[in-house]
Amino acid sequence: MLNHLTHERLIELGLSGMAKAFEEQRRLPDLEAMPFEDRIGLLVDREAAERDTRRLTMRLKIAALRQNACVEDVDLRTPRGIDRAVFAKLVEGRWIDRHENLLVTGATGLGKSWLAGALGHKACRDNRSVLYHRVPRLFEALALARGDGRYPRLLKSLGRAQLLILDDWGLSVLTAAERRDLLEILEDRHGRASTIVTSQLPVDTWHGAIGDPTVADAILDRLVHNAHRLQLSGESMRKRSAKTIALDGQPSP
């Protein structure tokens, strides 16, 4: 009876990890020979692990990453212009602590979004806040928010994330409203947080894709000058995967 009450009290206190570990210890008689301090240590470790898992789950939910990607699965063998040493430093994440940016460019099918998602997933695992947005849909959301009064709150959330991923940048020349939105976002984040941008366009053509020379100078000054770059090249990963399936019936890893 006392054990049952202890289990219930742990749950009431929000210590679900300790409650699970307590029940497991009751079912394993071998643990009775373990010193009291060690058994308590196991309870505390289980609670800490459960809380870490819950926090990571929440960070990933908020991030809304498009790709189910992680850095351990990134293919560094296929020639795509990814320097292993550079990528290792990006995975380490200190560039995020320094509020630096990352620009990932290259033709379609080279895995730009997947790489950005993998780095976003790693940032979540490192207890950093992350937001993912496809640029065209982000501009649509901002236009709607401007009309219903949510615009300041949305801008605040975009500025607050430690890592913001802007995917599919440069698919069309920006409108005047989109230029203002992008400048507002980058101004809020400049020197305070990091941004990943993926684009099919080379960085030296971004000025024209913005559309207004003066605003383009302001945007690129906040985005490019302290940015790391991954310029991908080679054959489309989708085509390569399709060839592999055709040859052996199995998708490439």
Side-chain angles (χ1 to χ4, degrees):
M1 187 60 147
L2 182 59
N3 285 335
H4 177 72
L5 290 175
T6 300
H7 181 264
E8 292 299 317
R9 183 58 60 86
L10 288 171
I11 293 176
E12 290 173 3
L13 292 171
L15 302 172
S16 60
M18 292 186 73
K20 292 176 184 177
F22 178 75
E23 282 298 296
E24 289 170 0
Q25 288 191 15
R26 287 181 58 199
R27 298 191 190 99
L28 297 173
D30 292 345
L31 289 177
E32 293 181 1
M34 182 179 291
F36 174 78
E37 292 82 359
D38 291 347
R39 294 184 67 177
I40 289 294
L42 289 176
L43 294 177
V44 173
D45 288 346
R46 180 63 175 274
E47 179 63 31
E50 290 265 340
R51 293 191 179 199
D52 287 343
T53 298
R54 289 198 296 269
R55 283 194 291 265
L56 175 58
T57 300
M58 181 57 64
R59 285 194 297 272
L60 289 171
K61 181 178 180 181
I62 293 171
L65 298 171
R66 180 183 180 186
Q67 305 285 349
N68 184 22
C70 59
V71 293
E72 290 82 3
D73 293 334
V74 172
D75 181 4
L76 297 176
R77 297 169 298 175
T78 302
R80 282 187 290 170
I82 303 176
D83 183 275
R84 288 176 180 268
V86 171
F87 188 72
K89 289 183 179 179
L90 293 174
V91 170
E92 190 177 63
R94 292 183 182 176
W95 61 283
I96 301 176
D97 297 330
R98 296 191 297 266
H99 313 310
E100 297 166 353
N101 301 321
L102 171 62
L103 314 179
V104 186
T105 59
T108 184
L110 289 175
K112 300 182 298 296
S113 299
W114 205 94
L115 285 170
L119 290 170
H121 185 273
K122 180 60 166 55
C124 287
R125 285 159 51 190
D126 291 339
N127 200 28
R128 296 183 172 103
S129 58
V130 179
L131 282 179
Y132 168 91
H133 286 281
R134 285 192 68 247
V135 171
R137 291 189 178 180
L138 175 59
F139 286 142
E140 292 174 3
L142 287 165
L144 289 173
R146 189 181 290 106
D148 62 20
R150 293 180 297 107
Y151 186 76
R153 188 164 71 248
L154 180 52
L155 279 183
K156 184 177 180 180
S157 69
L158 291 168
R160 192 166 47 201
Q162 290 173 279
L163 178 63
L164 174 64
I165 300 174
L166 298 177
D167 196 14
D168 286 340
W169 149 261
L171 296 180
S172 60
V173 177
L174 301 185
T175 66
E178 291 169 347
R179 287 192 289 269
R180 289 195 299 270
D181 287 341
L182 184 58
L183 182 56
E184 286 293 329
I185 293 168
L186 296 178
E187 173 61 27
D188 287 346
R189 299 182 59 76
H190 183 57
R192 301 183 183 94
S194 296
T195 304
I196 296 178
V197 178
T198 76
S199 177
Q200 297 181 34
L201 301 177
V203 175
D204 59 11
T205 67
W206 288 10
H207 197 278
I210 294 171
D212 180 287
T214 302
V215 180
D217 287 342
I219 288 173
L220 295 180
D221 179 65
R222 289 159 175 77
L223 183 62
V224 175
H225 84 277
N226 69 338
H228 304 268
R229 301 192 189 189
L230 285 179
Q231 187 170 345
L232 306 185
S233 59
E235 184 181 15
S236 166
M237 298 296 286
R238 297 189 189 101
K239 291 181 179 179
R240 184 181 293 271
S241 179
K243 288 179 181 179
T244 303
I245 294 173
L247 288 172
D248 59 19
Q250 298 293 329
S252 59

